[in-house]
Amino acid sequence: DLEQRSIQQSKGSVQLRQLQREAEANRLIYENFLTRFKETSEQEDLQQADARLISPAKEGRFAGVPDALILGGTGILGLILGFGLLFLFEQLNNTFRSEDEVEDKTGVGVLASLPRFGRRRRRSQVLDYVRENPTSSLAEGIRNLRTALLLSNVDKPPKVIMVTSSLPAEGKSTTCMLLAEMSTLMGKKAIIVDCDIRRPTLHKTFNVKNEHDIISVLDGSAELEEVIYKDPESDLHVLPAVQSAPQAADILSSQRFADLVQALAERYDIVLLDSPPILLVSDASVVGNHADAAIYAVHWDKTPREAATRGLKQLRDLGIHVNGVVLTLVDRKRQSQYSYYRYGYSYYQNDYYVD
């Protein structure tokens, strides 16, 4: 009996261990499935979008309108707005962009328009360019200026010419140099007198190394022939101002300066007086009394209209006759939008100008 019970207990133990192993395996499988389920649930929570539906979308008012019609309407509206802004900017513009504007606003005619020669060019390079390109638009503008001056008084062409402007950096000194250069190329003797003795610049342009200048001639410390500089590249003569003089108005209004201008007019065919800006100092008013003609330089699309009008009025009030205005540093491509070039004349300019 005991042996039989022992055999049964052994069989029961075997079955128990088998059931325990099956239970342990099922438990491990369950734990694995439970772990994967938790990971999947957490990933779903992380990837869920933050957006939520507030209200359903409704059909638009222009849903049935074709896209081409919408684009065409917005394009026309954009063009109207663009032209309106362009017209507004034109009305707010306070500079001169055409010869007609100069004549209408100042009452003075335009003698010539001098185009811009590159950007940030030195004056000596501009002279070389005109000398090497006699058929360029810049050279033609200088010829027009010289012709206009000669025709201003056919019986007695002006010999002493003053060039001034409203403000600095408007191209008056460059205009003086170009006009003198063109005169020398036509066989005339020309000299430039630097009358801006407060801020002289011509001696730097021509690299003058003289110790004496126009002030030395006026005070008697140097002879005129010793001071006149002759450009080796051409027959252009320059009477420079090297030292700055704050009492410039007193010097220029002296009798010695008047005698100096008279002496130069007897030696040269044309005497160009490069004077300071009229609105900054009174030197130009003094120099203008010794000139036969006066040219007023206006920077294209930069000089304010009020400045040019005021400067010209100041010269007229002093009894100085201004022969005309010279538009300097003109952008020919942009000018075609504002001046008579817009009528189609600019199409033919390349047939005559070789730039």
Side-chain angles (χ1 to χ4, degrees):
D1 185 48
L2 291 173
E3 183 178 2
Q4 188 65 29
R5 290 182 179 179
S6 176
I7 294 172
Q8 290 179 355
Q9 289 179 353
S10 298
K11 291 180 179 179
S13 299
V14 172
Q15 292 177 356
L16 177 61
R17 287 194 294 272
Q18 183 177 358
L19 292 174
Q20 288 178 346
R21 286 194 297 271
E22 291 178 358
E24 182 68 20
N26 291 333
R27 185 180 64 80
L28 291 175
I29 294 173
Y30 173 75
E31 290 179 353
N32 289 335
F33 277 118
L34 183 61
T35 302
R36 294 292 303 275
F37 174 74
K38 289 182 178 179
E39 292 176 354
T40 304
S41 299
E42 291 177 356
Q43 291 179 357
E44 289 180 354
D45 294 338
L46 291 175
Q47 296 177 358
Q48 187 176 3
D50 296 334
R52 57 193 180 92
L53 179 63
I54 297 178
S55 61
K58 297 181 180 180
E59 185 177 356
R61 297 174 58 184
F62 302 98
V65 181
D67 295 339
L69 184 59
I70 297 176
L71 293 176
T74 54
I76 294 174
L77 182 62
L79 287 175
I80 295 174
L81 181 60
F83 281 114
L85 292 175
L86 181 61
F87 178 77
L88 178 61
F89 290 152
E90 285 296 320
Q91 294 299 318
L92 296 177
N93 177 54
N94 192 34
T95 60
F96 296 104
R97 292 178 175 175
S98 68
E99 298 179 359
D100 296 337
E101 289 180 352
V102 176
E103 296 179 1
D104 293 340
K105 300 298 181 181
T106 64
V108 180
V110 178
L111 299 177
S113 296
L114 305 182
R116 180 190 299 273
F117 171 63
R119 291 184 178 273
R120 297 182 180 180
R121 297 283 186 174
R122 294 193 300 269
R123 294 170 183 168
S124 57
Q125 293 177 323
V126 178
L127 287 178
D128 295 338
Y129 175 79
V130 172
R131 192 181 302 116
E132 297 171 1
N133 299 272
T135 59
S136 63
S137 58
L138 181 58
E140 187 62 28
I142 294 297
R143 291 193 191 94
N144 293 337
L145 175 59
R146 188 177 184 278
T147 302
L149 289 173
L150 293 176
L151 295 179
S152 62
N153 191 344
V154 180
D155 297 330
K156 187 179 179 182
K159 297 188 65 176
V160 181
I161 302 172
M162 179 189 71
V163 182
T164 186
S165 61
S166 305
L167 304 170
E170 293 197 59
K172 62 177 182 59
S173 298
T174 305
T175 302
C176 268
M177 296 168 54
L178 291 174
L179 187 57
E181 177 69 18
M182 187 58 62
S183 299
T184 57
L185 292 177
M186 299 180 69
K188 303 294 184 179
K189 294 185 61 177
I191 185 171
I192 305 175
V193 182
D194 192 354
C195 298
D196 192 357
I197 57 180
R198 298 176 190 263
R199 298 182 59 186
T201 57
L202 287 180
H203 69 286
K204 298 179 181 178
T205 302
F206 290 96
N207 196 21
V208 179
K209 301 299 184 180
N210 297 348
E211 297 181 359
H212 300 287
D213 59 355
I214 184 174
I215 299 179
S216 303
V217 177
L218 295 176
D219 62 16
S221 60
E223 296 294 332
L224 181 60
E225 293 297 335
E226 301 176 5
V227 179
I228 293 179
Y229 172 79
K230 300 178 182 179
D231 185 18
E233 300 294 333
S234 63
D235 196 24
L236 182 61
H237 293 185
V238 180
L239 182 57
V242 178
Q243 52 185 326
S244 178
Q247 66 280 13
D250 297 334
I251 296 175
L252 297 175
S253 60
S254 63
Q255 184 60 40
R256 290 188 176 183
F257 179 76
D259 296 339
L260 174 62
V261 174
Q262 182 64 31
L264 293 174
E266 295 175 357
R267 296 187 183 186
Y268 294 90
D269 298 320
I270 180 171
V271 179
L272 292 165
L273 305 179
D274 184 10
S275 66
I278 183 66
L279 294 183
L280 298 184
V281 291
S282 61
D283 301 353
S285 303
V286 178
V287 174
N289 294 322
H290 305 289
D292 302 328
I295 301 174
Y296 202 88
V298 174
H299 194 312
W300 183 85
D301 199 21
K302 186 175 181 181
T303 302
R305 295 178 181 177
E306 293 81 2
T309 304
R310 181 182 173 187
L312 290 169
K313 182 179 181 301
Q314 183 173 339
L315 291 174
R316 285 195 296 265
D317 293 342
L318 295 172
I320 300 175
H321 174 67
V322 179
N323 293 62
V325 171
V326 176
L327 280 176
T328 61
L329 301 171
V330 177
D331 189 336
R332 289 196 311 174
K333 294 182 179 180
R334 292 182 56 201
Q335 189 192 35
S336 61
Q337 305 173 10
Y338 307 107
S339 63
Y340 59 86
Y341 289 102
R342 62 188 173 187
Y343 297 106
Y345 300 155
S346 60
Y347 178 80
Y348 302 99
Q349 65 184 2
N350 292 330
D351 296 338
Y352 293 91
Y353 301 150
V354 182
D355 291 333

